[in-house]
Amino acid sequence: MLKYLLTTAPLAALLVACSDPVQEAQEAVNAALGIKGTTEISEAVEYPSGVLCGRYENFDRWGESTGRRHFIYFEGEVNTVPNQQDRLVFCSETPRQVVEEDLGLPLTGNTAKHTAAIVADLTTLSEALERYYEVNGGYPTTEQGLQVLIKQPSGNQPAANFPEGGYLDKLPVDPWQQPYRYEGPAWGRVKSPYTLWTAGADNTPGGSGAATDINAQQLKYLTFAAGQP
């Protein structure tokens, strides 16, 4: 689930011999950061979801601390730079409640099926955008839009190495039959975030319930919380 977080590290081989979650987290932090030296874990709390949250502090060979920082460890992956919302959701006894009440994202009631469909669509589009990035060395521009995933653009902004059949057969639409919105990164080929979202049932920014805006950056919270009781 944490694959959407900023810094992760696969640890299947590394953790074979580990059984203590704090030790696993310590090994994960070292592997993710390529740390050489001593790492200490403190304030570690394991939540019912299986997430371990805490702080890590690294000491160099001269015994100097590099500072204490937060981490989140879950299912063999570690986030060494969690933001405030990451900690709010993942380091919680009730992540579903946090996602609904604190982030305002609908997971229950009449809008639940719409949210599930949006999560599936945004995941499909995000994966296609990553494939596009791998081939072209950058995400589509705002002018190119999501159409570049299914059709080679003409004019001044062609997409190099466009694969036969495109990156998707067709573009999904949201549950209210509106196209998903997209804005390309501000910094061209630098891998900075794009914006991908639906404006909800009213197709207008803002709103609550069925009218809630949901974006691709929130997928990690929705996917994680949906799997919790």
Side-chain angles (χ1 to χ4, degrees):
M1 300 299 178
L2 296 189
K3 67 180 180 179
Y4 297 105
L5 300 188
L6 294 177
T7 304
T8 62
L11 298 161
L14 185 62
L15 300 178
V16 169
C18 296
S19 57
D20 175 42
V22 175
Q23 181 184 352
E24 291 180 5
Q26 185 179 44
E27 297 285 354
V29 169
N30 286 341
L33 300 181
I35 285 176
K36 294 181 179 179
T38 302
T39 301
E40 292 185 359
I41 299 295
S42 62
E43 302 177 30
V45 177
E46 188 171 14
Y47 291 88
S49 61
V51 171
L52 184 75
C53 296
R55 291 175 180 262
Y56 68 92
E57 185 174 11
N58 179 245
F59 297 87
D60 61 26
R61 60 182 178 176
W62 296 283
E64 296 293 327
S65 171
T66 58
R68 296 171 69 242
R69 298 177 175 86
H70 290 279
F71 74 87
I72 299 173
Y73 176 71
F74 182 55
E75 294 185 342
E77 297 181 352
V78 65
N79 178 4
T80 57
V81 285
N83 60 38
Q84 185 174 355
Q85 283 195 348
D86 293 339
R87 301 199 305 271
L88 182 67
V89 174
F90 290 99
C91 306
S92 169
E93 299 278 349
T94 56
R96 289 181 67 94
Q97 182 178 340
V98 168
V99 166
E100 289 208 287
E101 296 182 4
D102 292 79
L103 303 190
L105 301 175
L107 277 172
T108 57
N110 295 332
T111 58
K113 64 179 182 180
H114 293 152
T115 301
I118 291 167
V119 167
D121 289 344
L122 291 180
T123 299
T124 295
L125 289 167
S126 296
E127 290 173 349
L129 286 166
E130 290 305 314
R131 292 195 297 273
Y132 180 96
Y133 183 93
E134 290 172 3
V135 171
N136 295 281
Y139 294 114
T141 64
T142 300
E143 291 72 25
Q144 289 174 322
L146 295 175
Q147 285 292 325
V148 77
L149 298 177
I150 60 171
K151 183 180 180 181
Q152 168 71 287
S154 58
N156 296 326
Q157 292 187 316
N161 306 313
F162 191 81
E164 183 177 354
Y167 298 89
L168 289 173
D169 293 332
K170 62 179 181 179
L171 294 177
V173 293
D174 72 16
W176 303 278
Q177 302 306 302
Q178 296 293 332
Y180 286 94
R181 304 185 182 199
Y182 174 83
E183 291 182 4
W187 299 102
R189 291 190 176 274
V190 176
K191 195 168 187 180
S192 55
Y194 55 80
T195 306
L196 174 65
W197 80 105
T198 172
D202 60 356
N203 200 32
T204 302
S208 60
T212 301
D213 298 354
I214 298 177
N215 63 61
Q217 282 68 41
Q218 295 166 328
L219 282 174
K220 57 185 175 182
Y221 307 130
L222 289 165
T223 303
F224 174 72
Q228 304 304 314

